[in-house]
Amino acid sequence: MLTAAVWFSCNNNKKTDSQTDTGPIADNDIRGYLSALADDSLTGRKPFTEGETKTINYLAAQFKQIGLEPANNSSYFQDVPLVEITGTPTAMQLNGKTSATLKPGTDFVASTRQELSSVEIKNSPLVFAGYGVVAPEYGWNDYKGLDVKGKTVVVLVNDPGFKSGNRTLFHGDTMTYYGRWTYKYEEAARQGAAGVLIVHQSEPASYPWSVVNTSFSGSKLYLQQDDKHLSRCKMEGWVSEETAKKLLAGAGITEDMRAYARKKEFKAVPLKTTTTISIVNKLKYSTSHNVAAVLKGSTRPDEYIIYTAHWDHLGIGQPDAKGDSIYNGAVDNASGTAALLAMAKAFKNAKEKPQRSIVFLSVTAEEQGLLGSEYYGSHPLFPLNKTVGNLNMDALSPDGESKDIPITGRGQNDLEDYVEAIAKEQGLTVEADPNPWAGGYYRSDHFNFAKVGVPALDMHTGPDNKEHGREWGTKQADTFNAEHYHQPSDNYTRDMDLSGMTQTANILYRIGAKLAGETTFPQWKKNSEFRAIREKSMAGK
């Protein structure tokens, strides 16, 4: 899971496994799959390892045993061609109004997607392009009148609405996709920039510099592209806030950089400084796999509801204090994958067969940047304009049921209305994302369905634990984030209370079952940035 905050943790409050009266999935339906997927024998489920081979073969065997058809013609597997790029940057040299030698890891991080042995940017003029956003629906264009060919743009993380005090400016404090670092890189490439540097600030980024340093350096996996990623900027990176302040001050900008860039009359500012850097790469090519099965609909088999969960985790890495070096990822995300299998079994065994087809898609390389779902979005096994919606499961709660249901990025599409109807029936409270400025909606696999226009939902049990209350639930979340998230200690134990996983799975099951019996398609909300993409897609239906 790529979120900066995970709302669940592990505890030792064992609860009896029993059939729930709110859906067909029971704790034991998930437990067997979870224990198998989080077992040491799968060596942390990392792509390109023996752990991947064992994991995907296990998933395919389970889908076959349940009685589902392969989704990719006669195969349960969809090849996902990847390239691993290990880039080593030199120091970054600044010359001009601001002169300095910047140290990698301390003052900046930089990499390249271009599949070349090395890349170089030499004496590239730096330009401050505000938030680096082109958003016609908001009347916003930071690149207006700006030719950035051969230049390196310096842009701010998040979007103009953040901490503006204006709820009508973009989505106010709720991040839109325009605020994500992925968008900044994409837009800079569309504009033809040679390089792009995002100014790191902990509050609008929602994570400290240490996360940038560890996440954006070293080896990275990317989807292979026909053009070898040569359409992307030569250099993509981040620069420290301290360095950015010096650069802007050299160009006469001494006020708060976010306030300066959110002015309606903002125009890009040349920083009167050039940058020079080179990056040496090591390249490795290989293929990972999505695993997909389908239960054909009885009356409208050419319309599809897609459930997703990523099967991958981090493999074998740095040992912890106990000497454990296998990153099993029980919560993140053996839990979602186990629920996916349990849900497939429930749909197969249901007395009333779904009228629309149900697809169960377990994707690869989520931990490497949502790559498996991104590949599916650009190479769908089923037409996107015939895909009703996507229901995603990532890092389900091992702490028991909650009285609240947080919806990541609440306010995006009609699938949320289905959650609210079920919650009302069960006496639950539906809540918005507790940290909307962190952009959680763009950090798991549902996003790549949204990105191609398919309404997508990501929801969880919340911190208001039914048995222990909100304070206890919040403490469990904090403990998980601090001690277990992306650590070897994210292990399966028999003492896990799986009723929270079951609660989430049953709500999502009921949504899928309802969608399968309808003839309409859920829509994006009026102010969603994905609405226009869906309308264009559906126009060709």
Side-chain angles (χ1 to χ4, degrees):
M1 186 181 190
L2 290 180
T3 52
V6 181
W7 293 95
F8 322 111
S9 65
C10 303
N11 71 86
N12 294 318
N13 293 281
K14 184 175 177 181
K15 189 169 182 174
T16 303
D17 290 330
S18 60
Q19 183 79 20
T20 174
D21 59 1
T22 55
I25 301 169
D27 296 2
N28 267 342
D29 296 327
I30 294 176
R31 188 175 294 278
Y33 296 131
L34 175 59
S35 62
L37 288 162
D39 191 79
D40 279 356
S41 64
L42 299 188
T43 62
R45 306 189 309 277
K46 188 174 182 179
F48 297 173
T49 68
E50 183 183 357
E52 165 169 4
T53 303
K54 290 181 176 180
T55 301
I56 65 173
N57 286 338
Y58 171 80
L59 293 173
Q62 296 306 312
F63 283 138
K64 184 176 182 179
Q65 182 176 323
I66 290 168
L68 302 184
E69 297 179 28
N72 191 13
N73 297 316
S74 60
S75 177
Y76 289 103
F77 303 130
Q78 180 186 33
D79 290 351
V80 181
L82 299 174
V83 56
E84 181 181 70
I85 303 179
T86 304
T88 303
T90 62
M92 182 181 290
Q93 190 65 47
L94 302 181
N95 290 298
K97 192 70 176 178
T98 302
S99 294
T101 299
L102 305 183
K103 296 180 181 179
T106 301
D107 304 312
F108 77 97
V109 295
S111 60
T112 183
R113 295 174 192 245
Q114 294 194 0
E115 297 169 41
L116 300 170
S117 59
S118 65
V119 298
E120 182 182 33
I121 290 178
K122 190 172 183 178
N123 298 323
S124 173
L126 290 169
V127 181
F128 179 52
Y131 286 91
V133 169
V134 178
E137 67 272 35
Y138 296 109
W140 199 277
N141 187 352
D142 286 323
Y143 287 96
K144 185 177 181 180
L146 178 62
D147 180 3
V148 295
K149 291 180 181 178
K151 299 174 183 177
T152 295
V153 293
V154 177
V155 298
L156 301 176
V157 72
N158 218 306
D159 62 44
F162 178 72
K163 296 297 182 181
S164 66
N166 182 357
R167 293 183 179 181
T168 66
L169 184 60
F170 287 67
H171 289 182
D173 285 345
T174 299
M175 184 191 286
T176 65
Y177 183 54
Y178 296 115
R180 285 288 287 151
W181 59 267
T182 50
Y183 168 80
K184 313 290 184 178
Y185 290 170
E186 292 163 357
E187 189 59 50
R190 280 191 288 268
Q191 297 293 328
V196 51
L197 291 169
I198 301 173
V199 177
H200 174 263
Q201 293 178 300
S202 293
E203 186 182 31
S206 81
Y207 39 78
W209 177 259
S210 60
V211 172
V212 171
N213 191 24
T214 56
S215 300
F216 294 89
S217 58
S219 65
K220 289 289 292 180
L221 289 176
Y222 302 103
L223 293 177
Q224 292 180 31
Q225 301 291 349
D226 291 340
D227 73 344
K228 303 293 186 181
H229 291 98
L230 296 182
S231 61
R232 298 296 293 246
C233 297
K234 283 186 177 182
M235 182 266 291
E236 299 175 339
W238 293 71
V239 64
S240 70
E241 182 177 10
E242 180 182 358
T243 299
K245 285 181 177 178
K246 292 178 181 177
L247 283 167
L248 268 61
I253 304 172
T254 56
E255 64 180 283
D256 177 80
M257 63 182 78
R258 300 206 304 256
Y260 183 89
R262 76 166 62 100
K263 296 175 181 177
K264 269 292 184 181
E265 64 274 17
F266 171 81
K267 291 184 179 180
V269 180
L271 296 178
K272 304 175 183 178
T273 299
T274 64
T275 183
T276 297
I277 185 175
S278 62
I279 302 171
V280 177
N281 293 325
K282 291 182 180 179
L283 305 176
K284 177 184 176 181
Y285 294 89
S286 193
T287 300
S288 189
H289 305 83
N290 293 332
V291 188
V294 61
L295 178 62
K296 291 291 182 64
S298 59
T299 60
R300 291 187 299 286
D302 62 341
E303 296 177 356
Y304 306 90
I305 298 149
I306 300 182
Y307 286 95
T308 51
H310 73 90
W311 60 255
D312 68 296
H313 199 53
L314 303 177
I316 297 175
Q318 187 71 26
D320 62 13
K322 296 180 180 179
D324 186 1
S325 61
I326 300 178
Y327 290 66
N328 286 314
V331 171
D332 182 17
N333 184 36
S335 64
T337 308
L340 186 78
L341 292 170
M343 198 168 297
K345 187 176 181 180
F347 270 107
K348 179 63 177 177
N349 293 339
K351 292 181 180 179
E352 185 177 347
K353 300 304 177 184
Q355 296 177 40
R356 286 167 158 163
S357 294
I358 313 291
V359 179
F360 303 92
L361 175 64
S362 190
V363 295
T364 184
E366 189 269 0
E367 301 291 5
Q368 301 293 326
L370 319 181
L371 301 182
S373 55
E374 181 183 352
Y375 187 82
Y376 184 92
S378 58
H379 301 81
L381 299 178
F382 306 102
L384 296 175
N385 60 4
K386 293 287 188 178
T387 300
V388 178
N390 167 243
L391 305 170
N392 187 52
M393 294 170 284
D394 194 353
L396 306 185
S397 171
D399 290 327
E401 295 182 78
S402 70
K403 294 184 286 186
D404 58 333
I405 306 294
I407 295 177
T408 310
R410 187 180 183 187
Q412 283 284 3
N413 61 63
D414 293 345
L415 292 174
E416 300 168 17
D417 301 340
Y418 293 76
V419 179
E420 291 175 359
I422 294 170
K424 184 176 181 181
E425 175 188 316
Q426 297 181 8
L428 305 173
T429 301
V430 176
E431 297 183 353
D433 192 333
N435 297 305
W437 53 87
Y441 192 74
Y442 317 108
R443 296 188 180 190
S444 191
D445 292 302
H446 58 281
F447 165 62
N448 280 320
F449 285 86
K451 199 174 180 181
V452 292
V454 176
L457 176 71
D458 186 62
M459 51 142 284
H460 303 273
T461 51
D464 193 3
N465 188 270
K466 279 190 175 181
E467 185 175 354
H468 302 285
R470 182 177 292 275
E471 183 178 350
W472 181 90
T474 301
K475 185 177 180 180
Q476 301 307 302
D478 292 342
T479 299
F480 183 87
N481 287 331
E483 300 177 10
H484 307 297
Y485 177 58
H486 282 194
Q487 298 299 320
S489 56
D490 183 6
N491 284 316
Y492 166 77
T493 67
R494 179 67 195 179
D495 289 334
M496 281 182 172
D497 182 349
L498 303 193
S499 60
M501 297 184 189
T502 304
Q503 181 183 33
T504 301
N506 277 316
I507 291 174
L508 291 172
Y509 173 90
R510 291 184 61 184
I511 294 172
K514 183 169 178 57
L515 289 169
E518 296 177 338
T519 58
T520 56
F521 282 65
Q523 303 296 317
W524 292 98
K525 303 292 186 182
K526 186 177 180 180
N527 63 346
S528 171
E529 61 265 44
F530 306 109
R531 183 182 178 92
I533 302 170
R534 182 64 160 180
E535 289 175 347
K536 183 179 180 180
S537 172
M538 298 302 283
K541 190 175 174 183

